[in-house]
Amino acid sequence: MLVLNTGGVVDLSGLESVQNILILSQLGVHTSKTLVDIINGTKYPSGKLTTTWTKFEDYQTIGDFGDQDDTNYKEGVYVGYRYFDTLNLDVLYPFGFGLGYTDFEYEIKSANLIGEEFEVEASIKNIGEFKGKEVLELYLSKTNTTLDEPYQVLVNFVKSKELSPMEEDTVILKFKLSDFASYDTTTATYILDQGTYILRLGNSSRNT
């Protein structure tokens, strides 16, 4: 097992033979106890990556961090997973990825748009041999946009309760379309283009 006590992304290329990687992310005085609890099974990992982890050369180099008082984001809206997912780059570990000691399956029960609020109801079932928790993530794609938009954006996520083997939980994810309107610089307004919108549900930005 490779244990990472780090506060940021690490280039893990060349370590494909390592079968287990645990990210503790600087827990301070609780680090050693948490590690022991996870290894002996008292606790279990159930977190998800909050950024994309991949090779150093996969990252953009057009960012500008030279100014002491300001940062010019030349990459526009293509920051983080929005960049990697839009270009469909083959990353090491995608945004939202994370494993535990068990496996899950999920199913969409209903999806409804009422006014401007969208609601998805889904079931999560533990189909493995150990207890655990799973996170479902909801992504929105604007297929008919007239503006420069990424392939998808995260609009909500939810974590299940602790599930024993073969136990099931029902979760609900909601969001308002107006919360994800885009700013049009030509008209100085926030807009939602008329047309088709795609919603994707999954447990990482690459598994929906």
Side-chain angles (χ1 to χ4, degrees):
M1 175 185 285
L2 170 63
V3 180
L4 297 176
N5 180 18
T6 175
V9 177
V10 178
D11 185 349
L12 299 176
S13 56
L15 297 175
E16 289 78 11
S17 62
V18 178
Q19 296 184 1
N20 298 285
I21 300 175
L22 177 66
I23 302 175
L24 291 180
S25 295
Q26 297 179 328
L27 303 178
V29 296
H30 298 288
T31 299
S32 57
K33 182 181 185 306
T34 300
L35 177 59
V36 171
D37 286 345
I38 289 176
I39 290 177
N40 67 25
T42 303
K43 303 289 185 180
Y44 52 83
S46 63
K48 300 289 183 175
L49 294 179
T50 57
T51 188
T52 303
W53 287 49
T54 190
K55 304 181 293 295
F56 176 80
E57 55 266 27
D58 290 341
Y59 291 90
Q60 297 190 78
T61 57
I62 63 172
D64 180 10
F65 297 94
D67 193 320
Q68 182 176 352
D69 301 316
D70 196 11
T71 298
N72 181 16
Y73 286 95
K74 299 177 182 178
E75 60 267 60
V77 296
Y78 299 101
V79 178
Y81 74 93
R82 299 171 183 84
Y83 168 74
F84 295 107
D85 290 354
T86 301
L87 270 64
N88 196 27
L89 294 179
D90 185 19
V91 300
L92 295 177
Y93 302 100
F95 175 82
F97 176 80
L99 300 175
Y101 290 151
T102 189
D103 296 307
F104 299 90
E105 64 178 15
Y106 58 92
E107 180 181 355
I108 297 175
K109 296 295 187 181
S110 65
N112 298 291
L113 178 63
I114 303 175
E116 67 159 347
E117 186 173 74
F118 194 88
E119 178 180 302
V120 176
E121 180 179 329
S123 63
I124 306 173
K125 186 176 183 179
N126 183 348
I127 58 174
E129 299 179 358
F130 303 97
K131 63 184 179 181
K133 299 177 183 178
E134 177 65 309
V135 176
L136 288 186
E137 305 157 21
L138 188 62
Y139 294 87
L140 171 69
S141 292
K142 304 174 182 178
T143 60
N144 297 318
T145 179
T146 56
L147 302 177
D148 193 18
E149 298 275 5
Y151 170 70
Q152 62 183 2
V153 293
L154 178 71
V155 293
N156 205 348
F157 62 92
V158 64
K159 195 169 195 174
S160 72
K161 65 180 182 180
E162 181 177 274
L163 298 174
S164 299
M166 304 311 294
E167 187 179 5
E168 188 173 310
D169 189 19
T170 298
V171 296
I172 294 177
L173 300 93
K174 299 179 180 180
F175 75 97
K176 290 183 178 180
L177 280 171
S178 60
D179 289 339
F180 295 92
S182 298
Y183 188 73
D184 185 357
T185 56
T186 60
T187 60
T189 57
Y190 285 91
I191 67 169
L192 283 169
D193 286 291
Q194 185 176 0
T196 301
Y197 289 74
I198 297 176
L199 274 296
R200 297 180 177 89
L201 187 69
N203 57 8
S204 82
S205 71
R206 296 296 179 91
N207 185 37
T208 59

